[in-house]
Amino acid sequence: NAGVTQTPKFQVLKTGQSMTLQCAQDMNHEYMSWYRQDPGMGLRLIHYSVGAGITDQGEVPNGYNVSRSTTEDFPLRLLSAAPSQTSVYFCASSYGLRIPEAFFGQGTRLTVV
Amino acid sequence: QQQVKQSPQSLIVQKGGISIINCAYENTAFDYFPWYQQFPGKGPALLIAIRPDVSEKKEGRFTISFNKSAKQFSLHIMDSQPGDSATYFCAAPETSGSRLTFGEGTQLTVNP
C-alpha cells in the first residue's frame, strides 16, 4: 500500500518556468489538499478538493492551479515560478475533512532561482 | 479566517522530562483537534486527536488536554525520549468545516 506518493522529491526551477507537482493516492480518499511549509509559518493550505471535479482555494492560492479529474490524482501546477514559491510542498489525503487523520506525502522541496 | 497560535516555537527537554506544547484557536467547527508529528525529511503524521466533548485524551505517553472555554488545547509528552525529537503541529478546523488550519509548529529536542 503506497499511501500518498509525491513526485518529484526535489526540483530547481528558474524564475518564470512552469511545472507540475504530482500527487497520487491509492486509498480511495475523497479529500485531497496541497500545503506549503515554510520555516516559522507552519503548513499553509494552497488548494483542496472534496472529490473528483471539485476544487477550491485555500489560504495561499495565488500562482498555483489544480485540477482533480480522478479520485486518485491531484496535481499542483506552478504557472510562472517566482522565488517566493521556494518551499516544501506537501500533498495530503483523507476520507473527509471531519475525519481526523490526513495522510501526507513525503514532500517536494522546490527551489526557484 | 481561523487563526491558530502555537507555542513555544522551540522546546528543549531532558530525557525523562515532560514536554508541553500549547495551542490557541479563535473559532472552530468543533469537530476534532489533532496534533501532528513530523520528522526531518518526512511528511507530518497524525499523532493524536481529541473531540471537544471531552477534556482529556491519553494515548500512551501522549495526552491532549482541551479547554473549550479558553479555546485552548495542549499536548503533553510524558517521559520524553530522544526519539520524540520532531516538529509538532496543532490544527483546528475552520468554522465552515471545509479545511484545517495548522499552527506554526514547535521544534522539540529531547536531549539524552
Side-chain angles (χ1 to χ4, degrees), chain A residues 2-6 23-24 33 89-93 102-108, chain B residues 38 41-45:
Chain A
V4 178
T5 302
Q6 286 184 239
C23 176
S33 52
Y89 291 85
F90 288 100
C91 177
S93 74
F103 295 83
F104 283 80
Q106 297 267 30
T108 296
Chain B
Q38 183 183 28
K42 304 291 186 182

Side-chain angles (χ1 to χ4, degrees), chain A residues 4 8 10 21 47 50 52 54 58 65-67 72 79 94 102-104 111:
Chain A
V4 178
F10 301 94
L21 307 185
H47 285 285
V50 298
I54 306 169
N65 271 357
V66 292
S67 60
E72 294 78 19
L79 309 174
S94 67
F103 295 83
F104 283 80
T111 302

Side-chain angles (χ1 to χ4, degrees), chain B residues 6-82:
Chain B
Q6 185 175 341
S7 62
Q9 280 191 326
S10 63
L11 181 61
I12 299 174
V13 175
Q14 291 300 118
K15 179 182 176 181
I18 302 174
S19 304
I20 302 174
I21 305 171
N22 300 299
C23 201
Y25 63 92
E26 291 185 341
N27 299 292
T28 184
F30 289 112
D31 286 322
Y32 58 86
F33 295 84
W35 284 92
Y36 280 80
Q37 181 187 52
Q38 183 183 28
F39 293 105
K42 304 291 186 182
L46 180 69
L47 179 65
I48 185 172
I50 192 171
R51 295 194 66 87
D53 53 350
V54 298
S55 59
E56 186 175 283
K57 181 176 181 179
K58 184 176 181 179
E59 290 185 359
R61 296 184 294 108
F62 301 91
T63 300
I64 297 181
S65 298
F66 184 77
N67 186 331
K68 186 175 177 179
S69 60
K71 295 186 178 180
Q72 294 177 349
F73 58 110
S74 60
L75 174 69
H76 295 234
I77 306 174
M78 311 300 288
D79 187 26
S80 299
Q81 299 296 311

Side-chain angles (χ1 to χ4, degrees), chain A residues 24 41 72 74 101:
Chain A
M41 302 189 76
E72 294 78 19
F74 190 44
E101 185 163 17

Side-chain angles (χ1 to χ4, degrees), chain A residues 16-35:
Chain A
Q17 286 185 317
S18 62
M19 79 160 294
T20 299
L21 307 185
Q22 301 291 345
C23 176
Q25 53 92 7
D26 60 0
M27 297 173 280
N28 202 33
H29 287 168
E30 290 296 324
Y31 188 90
M32 296 186 74
S33 52
W34 277 101
Y35 293 87

